[in-house]
Amino acid sequence: MVTKISETVVQKFIENVLKNLPTDWLRLTTHRLDIYHEELAKTEFLEHFEALYQNNDTSQESLASLPTAFDYIRLGHPLSCVLEWTIAKSHDLKADQVISFSSQVMPLMAILRKNLFDHKPTRVYVKGQLPHAFDLALVKEIYGYKLDVQQVSSIHEVAAFDGSSVYISNDNLTNVELTPNVDFFLHIDDQVGSVVLINGEANENHIGEIQHVRRRESIAMTPADCHTTLQEFVGQTPDQETINVQTSKASVVNTIQSITGTSTHALVASSGLSTQYAIMMGLVHHAKENYPGKPIRIITPPNAYGGTNDQARRVAACVPNTEVVDLHVDGGNDMSRSVNSILDEVAREDAVPFIIAEIPTNPRVEVPDLENLRAALSKQRSNAVGQVATAPVFILDQTFCPNVHFLRDQDILAEVSTLAYISGSKFPSGGLCTAGYVAANSKAERLLATIDTHLQLCDNEATHLQYEILAKQMPSMLERIEGAYQNTREFVNFIQETLPEAKINFVSEELAQEGFTPSVFSLDLPTKGDSDEVREAYKRDLNLQLINLMIGNIPQESKYCVSYGQLKGCYWTIPATSTQGTTKEGDKDYIVRVALSANMDLGRHKEVFTEFVKSI
């Protein structure tokens, strides 16, 4: 992607960093979760890394002690931060003016999205070829983006323009001259993705928007590909592991079919959210072709996982005549009743309904009455003038319980067009990569081709290495799910005995017998005080006391993270300040969410929890 440049201080520093690279930077989706300050997540890692550079300190101990970088690989990770810092140094830019993507296309889509809302024209100059799946007609018709594309042979052909000028090429990044007429330089590479350089102060207002697209609809360049690019930067020959991607891909698809009990094809994307984005844009495409002129309604819980909720609203903001409808599903609300009443209302509007929901729900781990849900989803409805209303597509986020059968022809939702998707950073890979997947029942199989069109258009398919990781990890997934559930059930029972005043949200023994065996529960700690405000403040403080005590006493296992399904350890978070970061304040949950793995010292966690109970 980049080639060796003349010997520089930066180059030598990076060469030494690569020699002493902490192994977790390459093999995990998260790093140093025990050093996690969310409000500093976008800045703290690089501030400390810059200090190491100034002191010429590249010891493995110092590198391993750096705090968590960004967010879970989608928004960034240690090696993407180092790569962007390195490229920025060579172009005299600030580090946040360089943003890497695993996708070749999504940086351009991010610029186009920002300019759509700013009513700003975009001119794209291409040296060479655009990625082969990039369909200009679909980008305009389905996404609503506006752009003109011109072929050029040099960056110097980019003319002054009252709008955004994007120059796309595979030119050597280190030798590129950023001319004043170029607002965004986009370097694309078939093997590793892309890097966008944001040129000039006038364009810095795009930085946050480009990062947000990376966080919600794509991912940063993967650790392995960042490592390759940095090796090339210092003149090393990258470590190239031979991967038979067709074999890995076939293995993953076969395993998904085995786990889900389906024969329909499965699609694998670079992350759970890039999977969801392909689903959403594929369904928008399907609706525009098959129900032209009809409004689209995306129905989703307001307190759902923040990425799901935020992305749905971002899609709706871009697509005319599309709105998000809040689906209240837990905390005293019944999913089946909510679905029934909302679909009645959407039918009267003669709109096209897409429902996104988690089963069990997040964060309160509730399972609806599935027979009632089936009845609500399959009920035939009429619009306001008596015509048959459009049937819903049910998009099930099955990440909590990917082992439960929903998609077979004999399953309860067989007569409902149902798609199920799973975040791959959880049980499928055990935290070793982010790639997620989507499968369909027979009724929804027709939708997969259009979803795949948008997965390819956005260049968000899983990487070769991600396929290989899933091929190795997924065969043990069901066993790990069972082991993690057993630990979680034992810990929940212990907490109920030790702190009976606490309210625990977890599946019943009866639901577990039906196959719902999550390894996540939420904990509503007891509180006290003379007013609602005092009681809420006391409980929020108690939440942090518990989490900090666990992490402080068991740092090798207890982590501050939104994750679960990892190969080992235990994860603690408060949804309101993590997964629900973009959720409306009134819908946030200030409770403790706990996730256990099959491999952990449960006895030690019980001991520390007992200490916590004694302290209150």
Side-chain angles (χ1 to χ4, degrees):
M1 187 175 184
V2 290
T3 56
K4 184 176 181 180
I5 60 172
S6 58
E7 190 71 17
T8 64
V9 174
V10 171
Q11 186 184 13
K12 189 64 180 174
F13 177 73
I14 294 301
E15 188 175 340
N16 289 330
V17 167
L18 293 175
K19 283 180 187 174
N20 298 315
L21 201 68
T23 55
D24 282 358
W25 286 20
L26 261 177
R27 66 176 296 274
L28 296 181
T29 58
T30 47
H31 165 74
R32 289 314 301 255
L33 294 171
D34 54 325
I35 314 176
Y36 178 69
H37 308 108
E38 186 165 6
E39 67 281 4
L40 303 176
K42 290 186 183 181
T43 57
E44 191 176 28
F45 176 90
L46 273 186
E47 286 174 357
H48 289 218
F49 186 76
E50 176 73 32
L52 295 184
Y53 170 68
Q54 296 298 333
N55 294 322
N56 197 26
D57 181 357
T58 57
S59 69
Q60 189 169 71
E61 182 181 9
S62 295
L63 293 170
S65 298
L66 291 171
T68 292
F70 283 173
D71 164 51
Y72 218 33
I73 282 191
R74 292 197 316 272
L75 184 55
H77 52 87
L79 281 170
S80 72
C81 292
V82 171
L83 174 63
E84 290 156 8
W85 177 91
T86 301
I87 294 169
K89 284 284 185 186
S90 68
H91 288 284
D92 198 25
L93 297 172
K94 291 180 285 189
D96 64 359
Q97 289 177 263
V98 181
I99 304 173
S100 70
F101 280 77
S102 183
S103 163
Q104 297 176 68
V105 170
M106 291 308 290
L108 175 59
M109 300 290 263
I111 296 164
L112 293 170
R113 187 182 192 279
K114 166 71 170 164
N115 287 351
L116 174 71
F117 294 110
D118 289 349
H119 306 287
K120 190 173 186 178
T122 308
R123 188 175 288 168
V124 178
Y125 296 86
V126 182
K127 179 186 176 184
Q129 299 296 320
L130 284 166
H132 73 277
F134 186 80
D135 188 318
L136 191 57
L138 286 185
V139 169
K140 292 179 178 180
E141 293 166 18
I142 305 302
Y143 295 79
Y145 298 153
K146 299 181 173 117
L147 68 159
D148 294 316
V149 179
Q150 297 183 16
Q151 204 75 32
V152 294
S153 57
S154 165
I155 196 170
H156 297 288
E157 294 177 37
V158 177
F161 175 56
D162 187 16
S164 291
S165 294
V166 185
Y167 178 74
I168 301 178
S169 83
N170 60 0
D171 287 346
N172 188 312
L173 266 173
T174 55
N175 296 333
V176 166
E177 178 189 350
L178 292 177
T179 64
N181 290 340
V182 173
D183 298 298
F184 304 94
F185 176 85
L186 178 55
H187 177 91
I188 61 175
D189 185 282
D190 288 341
Q191 302 302 313
V192 299
S194 63
V195 178
V196 60
L197 279 63
I198 299 161
N199 191 27
E201 290 184 14
N203 296 308
E204 289 185 9
N205 62 349
H206 279 72
I207 292 172
E209 294 296 326
I210 294 172
Q211 287 179 339
H212 206 138
V213 165
R214 186 170 74 172
R215 184 178 194 177
R216 290 300 187 229
E217 286 94 36
S218 191
I219 63 168
M221 189 184 293
T222 65
D225 289 337
C226 288
H227 188 241
T228 294
T229 306
L230 286 164
Q231 285 179 307
E232 290 176 344
F233 174 80
V234 299
Q236 297 175 359
T237 301
D239 308 321
Q240 293 293 347
E241 182 184 352
T242 302
I243 297 174
N244 187 327
V245 69
Q246 294 309 318
T247 300
S248 295
K249 189 171 184 176
S251 172
V252 170
V253 171
N254 288 338
T255 304
I256 293 169
Q257 290 173 332
S258 174
I259 290 169
T260 58
T262 60
S263 58
T264 56
H265 188 62
L267 304 175
V268 187
S270 60
S271 72
L273 277 177
S274 48
T275 307
Q276 181 185 290
Y277 190 54
I279 293 169
M280 294 309 303
M281 297 315 301
L283 292 181
V284 166
H285 187 171
H286 175 79
K288 287 190 172 190
E289 279 192 343
N290 292 275
Y291 311 104
K294 285 194 176 187
I296 297 170
R297 298 293 176 260
I298 304 172
I299 303 160
T300 194
N303 69 330
Y305 165 63
T308 295
N309 201 292
D310 190 31
Q311 188 193 99
R313 295 176 194 281
R314 288 164 60 78
V315 168
C318 292
V319 180
N321 211 10
T322 300
E323 294 176 8
V324 171
V325 179
D326 288 344
L327 175 69
H328 297 283
V329 299
D330 62 8
N333 297 287
D334 178 76
M335 182 187 292
S336 305
R337 283 198 296 269
S338 296
V339 164
N340 190 58
S341 61
I342 288 172
L343 286 179
D344 285 347
E345 178 186 331
V346 170
R348 286 191 292 271
E349 292 183 90
D350 200 26
V352 182
F354 303 138
I355 302 173
I356 311 174
E358 295 163 289
I359 299 178
T361 61
N362 180 22
R364 299 190 184 277
V365 203
E366 296 177 358
V367 177
D369 183 305
L370 294 179
E371 181 55 44
N372 289 343
L373 180 62
R374 181 206 61 76
L377 289 167
S378 58
K379 173 182 169 185
Q380 190 174 89
R381 296 173 171 83
S382 300
N383 64 16
V385 295
Q387 299 167 324
V388 175
T390 306
V393 177
F394 189 56
I395 309 151
L396 172 60
D397 182 347
Q398 207 181 330
T399 303
F400 271 3
C401 288
N403 56 317
V404 179
H405 288 127
F406 281 102
L407 302 178
R408 298 174 304 177
D409 289 342
Q410 67 267 38
D411 290 331
I412 198 161
L413 298 180
E415 295 306 310
V416 178
S417 291
T418 304
L419 300 160
Y421 71 102
I422 287 91
S423 170
S425 61
K426 312 302 192 300
F427 279 115
S429 78
L432 299 185
C433 75
T434 56
Y437 62 85
V438 58
N441 66 1
S442 297
K443 188 97 172 173
E445 184 177 8
R446 72 197 189 283
L447 302 170
L448 288 176
T450 313
I451 292 169
D452 191 32
T453 294
H454 289 270
L455 180 62
Q456 302 305 324
L457 186 155
C458 293
D459 193 31
N460 269 339
E461 188 176 1
T463 69
H464 293 186
L465 180 58
Q466 286 180 325
Y467 272 118
E468 184 180 64
I469 290 169
L470 289 182
K472 289 178 180 177
Q473 294 297 114
M474 285 190 69
S476 66
M477 186 169 90
L478 297 181
E479 181 183 342
R480 286 184 277 115
I481 288 172
E482 175 61 22
Y485 166 74
Q486 293 298 339
N487 276 342
T488 309
R489 174 62 70 189
E490 186 175 338
F491 198 31
V492 164
N493 290 343
F494 174 79
I495 293 172
Q496 286 175 329
E497 294 171 6
T498 311
L499 189 62
E501 314 95 280
K503 180 184 178 184
I504 299 176
N505 295 103
F506 192 53
V507 294
S508 65
E509 296 275 8
E510 292 74 21
L511 280 170
Q513 289 297 319
E514 294 176 23
F516 289 97
T517 54
S519 57
V520 181
F521 68 93
S522 64
L523 181 60
D524 211 341
L525 292 169
T527 188
K528 58 187 177 182
D530 298 328
S531 66
D532 289 343
E533 291 79 8
V534 170
R535 285 189 289 273
E536 183 64 22
Y538 178 87
K539 186 178 73 171
R540 292 187 187 186
D541 182 62
L542 211 58
N543 290 341
L544 294 173
Q545 285 184 42
L546 172 59
I547 291 174
N548 291 334
L549 190 69
M550 284 292 179
I551 294 171
N553 281 275
I554 324 173
Q556 71 279 10
E557 288 196 1
S558 265
K559 311 291 183 185
Y560 188 92
C561 186
V562 304
S563 190
Y564 53 93
Q566 309 286 39
L567 297 181
K568 64 178 184 177
C570 182
Y571 297 84
W572 302 77
T573 192
I574 299 168
T577 58
S578 57
T579 60
Q580 295 177 341
T582 55
T583 303
K584 291 179 289 187
E585 184 60 34
D587 293 319
K588 290 185 176 183
D589 295 282
Y590 286 91
I591 54 180
V592 176
R593 199 184 82 173
V594 193
L596 285 72
S597 72
N599 180 11
M600 58 178 288
D601 186 346
L602 187 57
R604 180 61 181 140
H605 283 75
K606 290 179 180 179
E607 289 174 4
V608 176
F609 191 85
T610 301
E611 291 177 27
F612 167 73
V613 173
K614 289 177 181 177
S615 73
I616 61 174

